[in-house]
Amino acid sequence: MKVDLEKFSRESKSDFLGNKKLKEKLKNTKPKNLDSIFLQHHEDAFSEINCLDCANCCKTTSPIFIQTDIDRLAKVFRMKSSQFIDEYLHRDEESDYVLNTSPCPFLGLDNKCLVYEDRPKACREYPHTNRKNMLGILELSLKNTLVCPAVFKIFYEIGKDYRK
């Protein structure tokens, strides 16, 4: 079932302030408890949402490419790392390597990643809601509520308990 990205965009923007308030409340949660809360809701969300029905992250944002990602993908394309950088990447305001264009040039029409086995670490770990130290990335997770329907759902479900 395709995700209605226009509807998601409207809803996520509409709920952003509420999610921002929730993020502030979550800062007072014990880190281990916060990790397990996010993990449970992550598993629930991804049991319902299939990334291939959406791929909004690949359509609208760029992962950060670390040197090992660049070297690995350059090898896949039989290029030098410097050629890969010149063709696909630029440095952002934080001096991280990111894609020149969106959607991602490696995104197929069927929402499948053309370099899936060799994709960047940031793509492998996205949306980061099943990791340890969620406290340290609450701001990033809040921003991801505007990109990923699963993260939006995770915040919605967590919010049910915190908004009482």
Side-chain angles (χ1 to χ4, degrees):
M1 174 183 83
K2 289 280 180 215
V3 173
D4 183 341
L5 292 176
E6 286 182 26
K7 180 180 176 196
F8 160 70
S9 180
R10 281 192 310 275
E11 289 177 354
S12 63
K13 286 175 184 168
S14 171
D15 288 359
F16 189 77
L17 279 178
N19 284 332
K20 191 173 182 177
K21 289 177 184 172
L22 173 60
K23 180 201 77 163
E24 292 304 314
K25 289 180 182 178
L26 292 174
K27 285 181 176 180
N28 299 320
T29 306
K30 288 181 181 175
K32 248 185 162 171
N33 292 348
L34 190 61
D35 291 350
S36 67
I37 290 166
F38 265 89
L39 180 60
Q40 181 58 55
H41 288 290
H42 171 94
E43 290 171 354
D44 292 345
F46 282 99
S47 72
E48 296 175 25
I49 297 172
N50 181 342
C51 294
L52 293 176
D53 293 333
C54 176
N56 197 44
C57 53
C58 304
K59 294 171 184 171
T60 63
T61 61
S62 173
I64 291 171
F65 285 71
I66 58 175
Q67 193 61 49
T68 54
D69 299 326
I70 294 167
D71 296 342
R72 184 175 55 255
L73 285 165
K75 190 175 180 183
V76 167
F77 291 107
R78 295 186 172 95
M79 325 170 98
K80 292 181 177 172
S81 295
S82 60
Q83 289 175 292
F84 183 85
I85 291 168
D86 289 345
E87 187 162 338
Y88 294 106
L89 307 176
H90 68 275
R91 291 215 186 249
D92 67 7
E93 50 285 339
E94 282 127 30
S95 288
D96 292 318
Y97 281 113
V98 294
L99 290 167
N100 289 332
T101 61
S102 66
C104 175
F106 312 121
L107 180 66
L109 294 175
D110 57 359
N111 286 343
K112 289 185 178 176
C113 178
L114 303 175
V115 294
Y116 188 78
E117 293 302 318
D118 299 298
R119 69 195 185 280
K121 181 178 188 247
C123 298
R124 292 173 193 275
E125 296 177 354
Y126 193 82
H128 316 288
T129 47
N130 61 341
R131 58 169 268 186
K132 290 186 177 2
N133 191 21
M134 285 304 302
L135 187 62
I137 63 160
L138 281 176
E139 188 64 36
L140 174 64
S141 296
L142 174 64
K143 288 178 186 171
N144 285 338
T145 64
L146 298 172
V147 176
C148 178
V151 179
F152 181 67
K153 181 175 179 48
I154 290 166
F155 265 69
Y156 175 78
E157 293 299 329
I158 291 173
K160 286 180 180 178
D161 292 331
Y162 280 81
R163 291 186 183 111
K164 289 178 184 173

